[in-house]
Amino acid sequence: MMKATHRATFGGQLGAVLVTAGSAVGLGNIWRFPYVAGENGGAAFLLIYVLSVLLIGVPIMLAEFAIGRHTHSNAVGAYRMLSGHWTALGYNSVIAPLLIMGFYLVVSGWTMEYMIHSLTGEFTRVQTVEEYAAIFSTFTQNPWRPAIYTVIFTLLTHGVIALGVQKGIERSSRIMMPLLMVILVVLAIHSILLPGGMQGVKFLFTPDFSKVTASTFLTALGQAFFSLSIGLGCLVTYASYFKDDTNITHTALQVVLIDTLVAVLAGVVIFPAVFSVGIEPTAGPSLVFVTLPAIFNTLPLSMVWSTIFFLLLVIAALTSTISLHEVLTAYIHEEWHLSRRISAWIVTAACSLLGVAASLSLGAWKWLQIGGKSLFDLLDFVTANVLLPAGGFFICIFAGWVLDRRFMPHELTNKGTIPLRLWPLLRLLLRWVCPALLLLIFLDNLGLI
Ligand code: PHE
């Protein structure tokens, strides 16, 4: 077994938690969760979401941590090391991040552009929600502006990756994650105090089960997947930098807690604001880019709140794009035997090209469609609906059925040195419950049930 000996590691337990939470907390929590919850009945959705996180998120996260930490290798190397027949799962784990980067960097670029517009006070001149909607569509369809922001965001990500695992990834998470939490709490308090704001809080915490349908369960499951960064190589790669005495069960529980807390807090920021100005909470994906700036504009100091809010989105997106970039950089560095510097540049070039193409597919390159979907939508669809659930399903099969049955308990207990009481339950979830539920999402997403 070829174990890389000179690999970097994260400082310790806290570092492990912060970098992983950095990957998990992202646009999925602050942009996607509130609008999906808004469309699916608020509190009832939240409840089902939390169940999905506990039943599926935690077991898969633990399996990925165990695989990464045991092999101390990039995602492809990790699966190959454990079983030559399962290298394909490693390739799925590096292809998915590249494709996610294709559209995620575009939305990240938008958040940056919106932050700058808020800062320069440009939004204060705009009056109605319709005007904001027009600005949003003109901006996303502009031939060069979003493309430039996509590249700038990729370069920003590159800058962190270039500084290395400890000085770049870990240090940036140690700064950005606490900052993100502070901003979120300040914004949440500000929102609750708005006149009429409590109505939004009620919406988020009083379940209305009449809105729950079969698809709510599947949407919640899919959201949990994307939000926790599971089903692809991010957690395997990050865990490969964990120290051998890192308690991976505690790390997973803390990350899941932070990720869920951030999603809930994002709801607490957004719904009271939405209710205070009497807008429907079901605005969909444009909630953050159209409805919210319009709401901020009605408030005193709108420029400040809106700048801080988009800064929050930029930070959340950046810690996630870093984790996606690292999967690819570690893979190229270790598997193609190129220097880390060159590997990072290859990834940056590839992601920029794909991101720019995806961005242009929304406007100037309208012809760039495959199967009736723009490249941007296609990348989103293929990753969230096909590659991640498929990856998650096979990870369960691999960890639950293929690997030696002592592998998981051995890793989770750090070779028997720490206790693990819930192993029988975890084993049941990993072998039966998770694969069955994932199969369900998968078939549903393909329209087969
Ligand atoms: N979890 C991130 C978010 O919620 C997105 C992401 C998915 C990041 C997969 C890495 C891997 O925005």
Side-chain angles (χ1 to χ4, degrees):
M1 196 181 284
M2 48 153 221
K3 262 201 176 180
T5 40
H6 305 299
R7 273 176 121 251
T9 55
F10 294 133
Q13 184 83 29
L14 181 66
V17 171
L18 288 178
V19 289
T20 315
S23 173
V25 171
L27 299 172
N29 306 58
I30 304 170
W31 162 63
R32 201 168 184 275
F33 177 83
Y35 85 73
V36 173
E39 288 173 338
N40 286 280
F45 179 82
L46 179 61
L47 204 71
I48 300 168
Y49 175 76
V50 170
L51 276 178
S52 316
V53 163
L54 292 177
L55 290 180
I56 297 206
V58 173
I60 296 185
M61 188 176 275
L62 287 173
E64 294 185 14
F65 277 171
I67 290 167
R69 211 263 307 263
H70 179 86
T71 55
H72 288 299
S73 174
N74 68 88
V76 171
Y79 288 100
R80 185 188 319 105
M81 222 178 259
L82 291 170
S83 163
H85 300 297
W86 283 74
T87 315
L89 188 51
Y91 282 108
N92 184 60
S93 308
V94 296
I95 289 167
L98 176 65
L99 301 184
I100 290 184
M101 281 291 240
F103 73 92
Y104 204 89
L105 282 167
V106 177
V107 184
S108 306
W110 296 346
T111 64
M112 202 176 208
E113 162 112 9
Y114 267 64
M115 182 184 79
I116 292 170
H117 276 315
S118 306
L119 195 65
T120 54
E122 236 160 288
F123 284 156
T124 46
R125 269 173 263 134
V126 187
Q127 304 282 328
T128 61
V129 176
E130 289 72 31
E131 275 180 84
Y132 275 107
I135 290 182
F136 184 60
S137 72
T138 315
F139 165 63
T140 53
Q141 290 175 25
N142 183 292
W144 56 272
R145 264 171 43 209
I148 288 180
Y149 276 101
T150 303
V151 175
I152 293 177
F153 210 92
T154 319
L155 290 175
L156 199 63
T157 310
H158 180 98
V160 176
I161 294 293
L163 288 173
V165 169
Q166 250 185 11
K167 291 210 178 95
I169 302 174
E170 183 174 353
R171 198 190 280 169
S172 65
S173 294
R174 280 181 186 265
I175 299 168
M176 287 196 279
M177 289 313 285
L179 182 62
L180 180 141
M181 287 312 258
V182 171
I183 296 180
L184 203 55
V185 170
V186 170
L187 285 174
I189 295 174
H190 172 260
S191 269
I192 295 176
L193 295 180
L194 290 172
M198 276 323 274
Q199 224 184 315
V201 177
K202 244 188 236 149
F203 172 77
L204 189 61
F205 293 111
T206 323
D208 167 10
F209 286 101
S210 68
K211 291 240 180 67
V212 172
T213 61
S215 82
T216 314
F217 285 86
L218 301 168
T219 310
L221 227 46
Q223 173 64 21
F225 235 78
F226 187 76
S227 187
L228 294 172
S229 310
I230 54 179
L232 71 176
C234 287
L235 301 188
V236 172
T237 306
Y238 270 5
S240 75
Y241 303 126
F242 286 2
K243 288 203 153 95
D244 285 335
D245 62 358
T246 298
N247 183 329
I248 53 184
T249 316
H250 283 178
T251 305
L253 292 176
Q254 285 162 14
V255 168
V256 162
L257 193 73
I258 295 173
D259 191 67
T260 309
L261 194 70
V262 170
V264 172
L265 277 175
V268 173
V269 171
I270 289 162
F271 292 120
V274 167
F275 276 88
S276 85
V277 291
I279 292 174
E280 282 301 304
T282 49
S286 63
L287 192 64
V288 157
F289 291 102
V290 175
T291 320
L292 219 59
I295 294 168
F296 284 133
N297 227 356
T298 63
L299 308 173
L301 296 178
S302 69
M303 210 178 104
V304 175
W305 296 117
S306 147
T307 307
I308 295 181
F309 178 75
F310 285 106
L311 173 67
L312 173 76
L313 277 171
V314 167
I315 294 175
L318 184 59
T319 51
S320 296
T321 55
I322 290 169
S323 73
L324 291 158
H325 198 298
E326 179 60 24
V327 177
L328 294 155
T329 301
Y331 158 68
I332 294 181
H333 173 48
E334 290 174 8
E335 298 293 316
W336 300 6
H337 305 292
L338 294 173
S339 73
R340 207 181 136 85
R341 218 172 75 88
I342 300 210
S343 309
W345 275 116
I346 293 176
V347 177
T348 297
C351 291
S352 300
L353 285 177
L354 193 62
V356 167
S359 173
L360 291 175
S361 77
L362 293 175
W365 288 3
K366 277 254 158 64
W367 51 266
L368 192 55
Q369 296 210 347
I370 304 164
K373 278 189 185 342
S374 65
L375 179 64
F376 178 94
D377 289 333
L378 188 77
L379 291 173
D380 182 356
F381 178 84
V382 167
T383 50
N385 295 359
V386 183
L387 296 185
L388 295 196
F393 176 79
F394 287 111
I395 287 165
C396 292
I397 302 295
F398 186 59
W401 298 90
V402 176
L403 289 177
D404 189 300
R405 54 182 296 161
R406 281 162 305 182
F407 176 86
M408 286 292 293
H410 189 74
E411 280 304 316
L412 298 183
T413 59
N414 290 352
K415 305 194 180 81
T417 55
I418 45 177
L420 178 69
R421 269 173 244 107
L422 289 177
W423 173 238
L425 171 66
L426 206 59
R427 187 157 188 266
L428 178 77
L429 290 174
L430 204 55
R431 282 167 74 98
W432 297 102
V433 179
C434 296
L437 289 175
L438 284 171
L439 206 58
L440 211 62
I441 322 185
F442 200 48
L443 294 178
D444 177 73
N445 277 324
L446 294 180
L448 298 179
I449 47 171

